[in-house]
Amino acid sequence: MTDREIIEKANAALAEEFEIDPGRMRPEALFREDLDLDSLDVVDMVVVLEKAFGIKIGKDPAIAAIRSLDDLHRYILAKKSEMRHED
């Protein structure tokens, strides 16, 4: 799966789960301010992403630093890269 495919899959999963217009899914979009997601939605977002990508996020402290879609994309790409190196 290419980086672009991973980003598209993440955006599609979030758009579907939170009923976000895909046109709003820009890298610079902030979760709270632009996508209207609150702290409870973040918990759901973790579950959605774990299922979509087969990754374990859990209580990873790096999640607290994620504010935008671009932050999230970079996080997922790093997690997927870690998994490739573990195989």
Side-chain angles (χ1 to χ4, degrees):
M1 187 176 274
T2 68
D3 288 359
R4 169 83 356 235
E5 290 169 330
I6 290 170
I7 289 168
E8 289 173 359
K9 185 174 182 175
N11 287 354
L14 295 177
E16 181 178 332
E17 177 70 21
F18 299 108
E19 299 178 0
I20 299 170
D21 176 4
R24 294 172 59 201
M25 304 294 284
R26 300 175 326 278
E28 66 277 6
L30 299 172
F31 290 113
R32 184 176 306 268
E33 294 85 347
D34 299 320
L35 302 178
D36 301 319
L37 299 180
D38 62 25
S39 57
L40 293 176
D41 292 327
V42 172
V43 174
D44 292 335
M45 180 175 61
V46 167
V47 172
V48 167
L49 295 171
E50 285 180 335
K51 287 181 184 176
F53 292 102
I55 58 177
K56 185 67 178 150
I57 299 171
K59 297 183 190 296
D60 185 343
I63 289 293
I66 295 174
R67 300 280 182 256
S68 69
L69 273 178
D70 186 54
D71 293 341
L72 179 67
H73 296 155
R74 285 186 279 131
Y75 176 82
I76 293 170
L77 292 171
K79 290 294 266 187
K80 293 299 281 183
S81 178
E82 286 173 19
M83 289 176 65
R84 281 192 291 265
H85 294 313
E86 290 174 1
D87 291 342

